[in-house]
Amino acid sequence: MITAIPHWLSPHAMHALGWSLLHFLWQGTALAALAAVLMALFQRSSARYVVGVSVLVLMSLAPLATFSYLQHTDVPSNARNSTPLVSAAWPLATSTSPTIPSQTLRVSSSDAIAWLVQAWLFGVAIFSLRSAGGFLLLERERRKRASVVGERVLEICYTLQDQLGISRTIQYCECKWLQAPAVIGWFRPVVFLPATALTGLSEDQLQAVIAHELAHIQRLDAFVNVFQVCLETLLFYHPAVWWLNKRIRSEREHCCDDIAVSLCGDAVEYARALTLMEELRSAPVFAMAANRGPLTDRIMRVLGLKTLRAGMRGIGLIGSLLCLSAALVAGNALLNLAHPALARANSRLQAVSESAGNSAATPKPSPSHNSVSQTTDTRTKTSTSTRTETATTTSYVDGLKDAGLTDLSVDTLIALKIQDVTPEYVRGLQEQGLHPDAEKLIGMRVQGVTPEYVRDFRAAGLNPSVDQLIGLKVQGADAEYYRGLKEAGIDPDIDRLVALKVQGVTPEYVRG
């Protein structure tokens, strides 16, 4: 139920958040396909890495942009009425099922969004515990006892550090709880060199491996890795995020391999070092380790050999383009699903316009036809009906103008008419001291706010605004409910009255 949603999340924000998560299904797929296309066009690992990280940033911004857009365009408390035209078209969208009350449909949709948001929050909590546990474990391992490396190894480390132009303070330690060199730490990085690597690798191989770790520090890869982990936590439900992160981590290792080979100059020795470290693989997931990534691809790439993946680049490019097209089509379908009323209203308006145009362009029949009498009668009836409708429409527009609603667009007039916002309804609200604009009038009419409903609240001693009236009506709070609470001993303001109703607080509950 909606009451299970955390109290700090309003129904409007919950709706916007839920649809933002749903929209990211096609947005993430489209961005991942775009990343695959761009990566296939570049030969250098550094360029593919930049593309991957850039698209990952776009993935993080896509739900935020969607949430902001929905927050500013959707009418609060009504998930389907993002514009007056959508409000007007909602009865049309549900006209095929007249036996189902629109209020029931709105509640069902809100419940579905509520459960979706709760499931997402639960998943974020689980993956947050996973990430926090991993970082705490990494920090605990970093604080374990480790001895300073020997002078010869330390000299190699400092020489490589100078060659890379790294001015940061880096600590080099020998440890026994790792089997492969790794970098741990963000602001004060520590390069851990296991005893097995110091004794099992030659000096050239050790130099290349240390250069690989220093390349991670130079490129600030640890910070990018933290961003990846955070995004995996927040957008855990989309496989495209995990796939792109895997590609980024793979390209990151390739970039560091290139730097290591360029410094040491011996690709064969470096490939042998990778092979030896693969046999000793054991590094924390959140650390930057030299033996991370697919071993076969890395070795063949370092040695300049073509891999099967490189040969299938063209196939991958075509598949990515197809996936991108499918994601855009799915996004369009999801947009229509999110706002079915708008699409249906537009289609019906177009049909009405075409019908009117066809009627105007229909030529007069020749008197020589046998059905001239029948045609004349039909045309007379149609003409009479059209004049009647035109007169009614003119009277309706004049009535709205008399009530103070002027300069209304065609779409707004259609929305007002479909929602049965009559001049009498407008005057009734004005008599109660309310002067809402056309869009607010549509929202009030959709939610069932009547002049009598406003009058009852005024008689009970409350003077709610238009937005507050809509919120009160959506939650089912009326003047009788307010009087019951006052009789039970509490006198809440309007915001607290809504909150009490949302949480299911009744006068009987208060008295008890």
Side-chain angles (χ1 to χ4, degrees), residues 38-95:
L38 295 177
M39 286 182 174
L41 298 177
F42 291 100
Q43 297 290 336
R44 294 175 59 86
S45 294
S46 57
R48 292 196 296 268
Y49 179 78
V50 171
V51 169
V53 174
S54 300
V55 174
L56 195 67
V57 172
L58 292 179
M59 283 187 174
S60 67
L61 296 177
L64 297 177
T66 305
F67 179 80
S68 177
Y69 171 77
L70 294 177
Q71 278 280 76
H72 287 84
T73 56
D74 285 4
V75 175
S77 311
N78 194 341
R80 297 171 179 82
N81 301 332
S82 60
T83 66
L85 185 56
V86 177
S87 302
W90 172 240
L92 300 175
T94 57
S95 60

Side-chain angles (χ1 to χ4, degrees), residues 1-7 111 114 118 501-504:
M1 295 299 295
I2 297 179
T3 55
I5 294 292
H7 67 277
D111 285 345
Q118 288 188 92
K501 188 63 175 179
V502 168
Q503 298 301 330

Side-chain angles (χ1 to χ4, degrees), residues 131-153:
S131 302
F135 286 125
L136 290 176
L137 178 62
L138 189 65
E139 182 64 20
R140 190 191 70 176
E141 295 294 337
R142 190 179 73 87
R143 295 179 179 274
K144 284 185 176 181
R145 175 176 293 184
S147 59
V148 180
V149 297
E151 294 184 0
R152 177 56 184 163
V153 177

